[in-house]
Amino acid sequence: MAITGITTEERSLIKSYLLLIFIHKVFERDCRIIQESGVFKTPQLYVEIVGNGAKRAAILLREIKQEFASRTIKVFEIQRGLHGIEARYACRGYVGSIELLWPTFREEMMSRMRAYLGLTQVDTESKQAATVSL
């Protein structure tokens, strides 16, 4: 039987993998900037909060890598371009690519980052309402 492609679930795993790689890098970068900036009175507090988000992302990334191994999935090339992220992968012998456009990618990153930091949708909506009323 010929392999016609990958399943929706496998494609979703690859998308999550890409998001988590970038999210983890952003959290790690933000921790370094907070520590080195000298702007914060209590940088350790903010580093702890952002660091916890990075830990959550790392745990999920590790779980996805384990799932990749069990499903014979490998992402072997990731490129950032003007329009978004493109990745090439191999899945059960099938080689393909996935492209995620920047607006969608950033929106999903922000949503997940909020969740990993423990911010609820209500928190976000309250801030947006407060900003609009100012």
Side-chain angles (χ1 to χ4, degrees):
M1 181 169 128
I3 298 173
T4 59
I6 67 170
T7 67
T8 304
E9 187 177 354
E10 290 164 339
R11 188 172 174 80
S12 180
L13 279 171
I14 293 168
K15 179 181 174 185
S16 288
Y17 173 79
L18 295 171
L19 285 160
L20 285 164
I21 286 174
F22 282 84
I23 288 168
H24 191 261
K25 284 181 184 178
V26 168
F27 279 148
E28 291 293 317
R29 179 185 168 278
D30 289 353
C31 281
R32 265 193 323 278
I33 289 171
I34 291 168
Q35 286 174 331
E36 296 169 0
S37 71
V39 175
F40 295 88
K41 284 273 191 194
T42 56
Q44 64 276 12
L45 176 66
Y46 299 101
V47 168
E48 184 178 335
I49 292 167
V50 176
N52 285 337
K55 287 176 189 172
R56 287 184 183 108
I59 289 167
L60 292 170
L61 191 56
R62 186 173 43 247
E63 290 172 359
I64 286 179
K65 286 179 181 180
Q66 290 170 347
E67 192 66 26
F68 274 12
S70 72
R71 293 175 183 248
T72 320
I73 299 172
K74 180 175 177 153
V75 175
F76 57 86
E77 183 180 340
I78 301 171
Q79 293 183 339
R80 297 169 62 163
L82 288 174
H83 301 290
I85 303 292
E86 185 174 354
R88 295 188 38 79
Y89 60 84
C91 177
R92 294 177 278 110
Y94 174 79
V95 176
S97 64
I98 183 172
E99 184 176 5
L100 304 168
L101 299 177
W102 281 124
T104 306
F105 192 77
R106 284 188 187 114
E107 185 178 317
E108 180 72 19
M109 271 185 69
M110 292 300 291
S111 175
R112 288 181 180 218
M113 289 171 77
R114 282 185 184 98
Y116 303 156
L117 291 173
L119 301 174
T120 63
Q121 189 63 28
V122 175
D123 293 340
T124 305
E125 290 170 1
S126 297
K127 283 183 182 179
Q128 288 173 345
T131 303
V132 170
S133 65
L134 295 177

